[in-house]
Amino acid sequence: MGEPTGIAVEVAEGIARVRLDRPEAANALHAPMWSGLRDTLHDLDADPSARVVVISGNGRHFCSGIDVAMLGGLQETASDPSPGHGAEKLRRTILDLQDCLTAVERCRKPVIAAVHGVCLGAGLDLAVACDLRYATADASFVLKEVDMGLAADVGVLQRLPRIVGEGIAREMAYTCRPVSGTEAKELRLVNGVFDDADALEHGVVALAGELAAKSPLALRGTKYAITYARDHSVADGLDQIATWNSGALVSADLQEAVTAYLEKRPGVYRD
């Protein structure tokens, strides 16, 4: 698996480390990084040796949002003698950018965001698409789009309210105020807080290792069920998980889990 521009990837011991790798630009997402994220998550989804994915940022920050030059290019995309044709082109571009981040949610493996420094704009869109989020105490989460004269359009307004509640999401979106890692824990935006980047690194890798030791099939089924239930009725969710387990309950993983429990040893599961 190659490494797209601006994305560094390493897979070892069941853990895929995906690093945003433009530290000189505070990991601002330029065009190759958007498509690179989608391609990377697609490849990791198909890679049986990758059981858990950790997304982090190289350098001082997690991600400072969309690259300013790329933002200007989006305005050029809409430039057309026919306003309708220009608007359609821009809409298709926005839908494609949305899909690049939805690839994180679409990946069957658990995806963990490890956030330090700034997590701004599209960086927050990326973080809330992950299954779990952990941060340093001094991390700064900012939903910045209103201050830039636009409404966020690649996922944060749809996912954030389901994580922190509508009131907090509206406040963050309207005021654009920074939320520290410590406050983010109080708001349930992140699952845990660490003192510094080194502690964050060790803590998240330890958690990823713990998850990587579990049944991949069970984790994949659980992730899909939770995401499905979020977007459907309770009745639909119950029907979905019944269908899933009608097949998964006869897997070798269940037998291995029971045997390992009785023998007081860790389970050993196929990729």
Side-chain angles (χ1 to χ4, degrees), residues 14 47-51 108-109 211-220 250-254 256-257 265 267-271:
D47 183 355
S49 70
R51 294 187 172 192
R108 293 172 300 154
K109 289 63 180 299
L211 297 184
K214 297 179 183 292
S215 159
L217 187 63
L219 281 174
R220 293 197 292 265
V250 297
S251 75
D253 284 14
L254 176 60
E256 169 61 12
R265 62 171 175 80
V268 179
Y269 306 100
R270 60 173 288 184
D271 289 329

Side-chain angles (χ1 to χ4, degrees), residues 14-269:
I15 303 171
R17 302 299 307 274
V18 177
R19 294 181 176 88
L20 308 180
D21 196 21
R22 290 185 73 211
E24 73 285 353
N27 295 320
L29 300 175
H30 64 347
M33 291 178 74
W34 287 88
S35 57
L37 277 169
R38 176 166 53 198
D39 293 344
T40 295
L41 269 296
H42 178 269
D43 289 346
L44 292 175
D45 179 76
D47 183 355
S49 70
R51 294 187 172 192
V52 182
V53 180
V54 176
I55 299 180
S56 60
N58 279 338
R60 297 176 54 203
H61 301 291
F62 177 73
C63 178
S64 60
I66 190 169
D67 186 81
V68 175
M70 183 179 175
L71 190 60
L74 293 177
Q75 294 178 318
E76 294 179 11
T77 298
S79 178
D80 192 285
S82 166
H85 286 79
E88 184 192 30
K89 286 192 294 184
L90 182 56
R91 180 178 184 274
R92 288 173 60 83
T93 299
I94 294 170
L95 289 172
D96 186 62
L97 294 177
Q98 290 176 353
D99 186 71
C100 290
L101 297 189
T102 298
V104 176
E105 195 172 81
R106 200 161 50 230
C107 179
R108 293 172 300 154
K109 289 63 180 299
V111 182
I112 305 171
V115 179
H116 74 290
V118 166
C119 178
L120 185 149
L124 184 53
D125 286 273
L126 171 59
V128 298
C130 296
D131 298 278
L132 303 172
R133 287 157 297 281
Y134 294 85
T136 56
D138 62 354
S140 181
F141 296 86
V142 190
L143 212 175
K144 189 67 174 175
E145 280 79 355
V146 166
D147 276 354
M148 297 177 67
L150 67 152
D153 58 7
V154 289
V156 68
L157 298 183
Q158 292 68 41
R159 295 185 175 101
L160 183 63
R162 299 171 187 269
I163 298 170
V164 301
E166 183 179 320
I168 296 299
R170 287 181 184 273
E171 181 195 356
M172 290 180 64
Y174 296 168
T175 66
C176 306
R177 71 175 182 87
V179 170
S180 71
T182 300
E183 183 182 1
K185 176 64 167 63
E186 297 171 357
L187 299 178
R188 299 185 180 182
L189 174 56
V190 300
N191 299 81
V193 177
F194 295 86
D195 291 338
D196 53 40
D198 287 340
L200 173 68
E201 170 87 6
H202 288 101
V204 169
V205 169
L207 172 63
E210 180 183 336
L211 297 184
K214 297 179 183 292
S215 159
L217 187 63
L219 281 174
R220 293 197 292 265
T222 299
K223 173 170 180 171
Y224 185 86
I226 292 173
T227 304
Y228 185 94
R230 181 197 65 189
D231 299 330
H232 295 78
S233 70
V234 172
D236 288 342
L238 290 170
D239 184 73
Q240 178 274 318
I241 195 61
T243 301
W244 174 274
N245 267 358
S246 66
L249 282 178
V250 297
S251 75
D253 284 14
L254 176 60
Q255 181 179 347
E256 169 61 12
V258 172
T259 301
Y261 175 78
L262 293 175
E263 295 178 355
K264 297 180 173 55
R265 62 171 175 80
V268 179
Y269 306 100

